[in-house]
Amino acid sequence: MQTQPKLIDSFGRTVNYLRLSVTDRCDFRCVYCMSEEMTFMPRAQILTLEEIYQVAKAFVELGVTKLRVTGGEPLIRRNILELMNKLGNLQGLDELVMTTNGSHLDKMAQDLKKADVKRLNISLDTLNPERFKRLTRTGDLQQVLRGVAAAKAQGFERIKLNAVILKNRNHDEVVDLVRYAVEHGFDISFIEEMPLGQVSDHSRAEAYYPSYQILEDLAQHFSLLSTTDKTGGPSNYFRVDGGATRVGFISPHSENFCSQCNRVRLTAEGRLLLCLGNEHSVDLKKVLRSNPGNLELLKQTIVEAMKIKPEKHEFNLQEKPVIFRHMSVTGG
Ligand code: SAM
Ligand code: SF4
């Protein structure tokens, strides 16, 4: 069998994971992710589903084994299920996964399962309906919980909840969120807010609630066993004693996870972003649109792009963001 070519950056890290942002749009306006008034990109600037598929295919032929479809909210992109079905059939792909806010899962979970989506990450920051409305600005907790239930009923390999924890907004709910995860057999990751884009709602420094603090809060209620589990990602995992639930911490401020970074991101407008916390990027849309159908050129461009993957990010909590794109553009 032919050995697969590998994507290796100039620091010796193998890139085997691509995150695809299929839209910058969303039906929510989470306070840490977007401002209340957002200007989205004109549709003509967004990659077509076929272009996204071409990029994914090129990456998989270059040895990428895991694709995460995200956004914005991926489930509001028109004909997204068509793309998911095609991605699910890519030869050489081990894992097709998605991150979603859950608002459309009640009607789409079944089709995602059929498209061979293995695992889902569902964002859920609070179990309190008023808080949910305050944090998402437009979301309806009951609708999302219906989506979570529909996903659970489909029997995905794993469902993980993602909770961004903000001081004085939802930090007092970490125990309840873990209880909910345990009750349903889900994993849960707590995420420190990252300074991506300007948000109007709050000061990021004031709302900072560090992972070690969450861990201390949880330790008063659960016995958490440190694990060596790694998903190739930035989460540090603990297992809740007596259950299957893993509790992860994504801590860009209190820990630097860059040395094991195995991923790159495709933005909705076709920019290949080499690092979440830097602007190093290559315009794949230009390559796609000036050389339609030339998969080899696309692959060459991707291989070359690995040379500019930065060693690490430099997040800080200053009031002015260093990175001006919102997470919805980046594809979290
Ligand atoms: N709309 C989908 C969702 O919310 O799951 C997918 C896209 S969203 C950008 C992906 C993840 O990024 C979500 O779990 C969200 O909580 C997280 N996120 C958004 N803005 C963030 C920020 N400034 N810092 C940390 N995480 C953030
Ligand atoms: Fe939308 Fe996800 Fe950003 Fe919330 S975190 S505004 S759901 S893209």
Side-chain angles (χ1 to χ4, degrees), residues 111-330:
D111 287 326
L112 290 174
K113 185 72 177 33
K114 277 193 203 143
D116 214 17
V117 171
K118 296 276 190 272
R119 296 187 291 113
L120 283 180
N121 286 0
I122 307 174
S123 298
L124 186 66
D125 303 326
T126 172
L127 293 164
N128 171 312
E130 283 85 43
R131 280 187 179 184
F132 191 84
K133 181 66 88 192
R134 217 177 306 138
L135 286 170
T136 61
R137 291 199 183 99
T138 60
D140 172 10
L141 176 65
Q142 289 312 321
Q143 174 64 19
V144 169
L145 293 182
R146 278 194 291 275
V148 173
K152 184 180 174 189
Q154 287 303 318
F156 287 93
E157 264 173 32
R158 215 63 207 146
I159 291 178
K160 179 163 78 79
L161 305 176
N162 275 347
V164 175
I165 299 302
L166 302 180
K167 187 174 175 184
N168 296 331
R169 278 80 174 173
N170 62 346
H171 80 260
D172 56 345
E173 270 193 80
V174 294
V175 171
D176 287 345
L177 285 165
V178 171
R179 282 208 181 105
Y180 177 82
V182 169
E183 187 187 322
H184 292 280
F186 302 152
D187 289 339
I188 181 164
S189 276
F190 292 107
I191 307 175
E192 287 178 359
E193 186 183 21
M194 295 174 227
L196 297 176
Q198 194 94 48
V199 292
S200 50
D201 177 78
H202 58 275
S203 143
R204 304 227 200 234
E206 180 263 318
Y208 177 52
Y209 199 74
S211 293
Y212 66 81
Q213 187 64 58
I214 301 175
L215 191 55
E216 273 180 40
D217 300 347
L218 294 178
Q220 296 181 21
H221 298 265
F222 305 99
S223 171
L224 294 174
L225 310 171
S226 182
T227 79
T228 50
D229 290 7
K230 268 278 161 203
T231 54
S235 259
N236 277 328
Y237 279 107
F238 294 79
R239 195 172 287 279
V240 180
D241 197 8
T245 293
R246 292 181 305 170
V247 182
F249 295 92
I250 302 178
S251 328
H253 300 293
S254 47
E255 271 180 70
N256 188 299
F257 45 72
C258 301
S259 64
Q260 298 142 43
C261 183
N262 63 345
R263 63 203 54 199
V264 292
R265 296 170 165 83
L266 182 73
T267 68
E269 90 274 34
R271 210 150 55 96
L272 177 62
L273 205 60
L274 282 310
C275 170
L276 181 61
N278 280 285
E279 294 293 358
H280 301 61
S281 69
V282 171
D283 185 0
L284 293 186
K285 182 171 66 189
K286 205 157 129 197
V287 179
L288 283 160
R289 295 203 175 163
S290 45
N291 307 273
N294 192 340
L295 198 67
E296 281 314 307
L297 181 64
L298 190 59
K299 282 162 70 175
Q300 260 174 39
T301 312
I302 293 167
V303 170
E304 281 294 305
M306 294 303 123
K307 293 186 185 152
I308 61 161
K309 185 169 165 59
E311 187 178 7
K312 56 185 179 175
H313 64 238
E314 304 286 355
F315 285 141
N316 62 44
L317 288 167
Q318 286 163 0
E319 288 310 293
K320 287 220 181 324
V322 186
I323 299 296
F324 292 97
R325 32 179 175 80
H326 287 95
M327 186 68 121
S328 52
V329 171
T330 303

Side-chain angles (χ1 to χ4, degrees), residues 22-85:
V22 294
T23 178
D24 63 333
R25 289 161 201 253
C26 188
D27 48 346
F28 291 1
R29 297 284 182 278
C30 301
V31 294
Y32 44 77
C33 179
M34 293 193 178
S35 50
E36 199 154 13
E37 298 298 325
M38 290 291 290
T39 312
F40 295 109
M41 271 174 276
R43 284 182 210 277
Q45 281 184 32
I46 301 289
L47 291 190
T48 64
L49 293 180
E50 178 55 28
E51 287 169 335
I52 296 172
Y53 175 70
Q54 288 302 319
V55 174
K57 184 168 157 58
F59 267 98
V60 171
E61 288 186 12
L62 288 166
V64 159
T65 53
K66 175 171 171 183
L67 292 176
R68 176 174 301 282
V69 176
T70 177
E73 175 46 40
L75 293 180
I76 67 167
R77 172 89 198 235
R78 196 180 305 174
N79 297 329
I80 185 67
L81 292 171
E82 231 171 72
L83 175 70
M84 298 308 289
N85 276 304

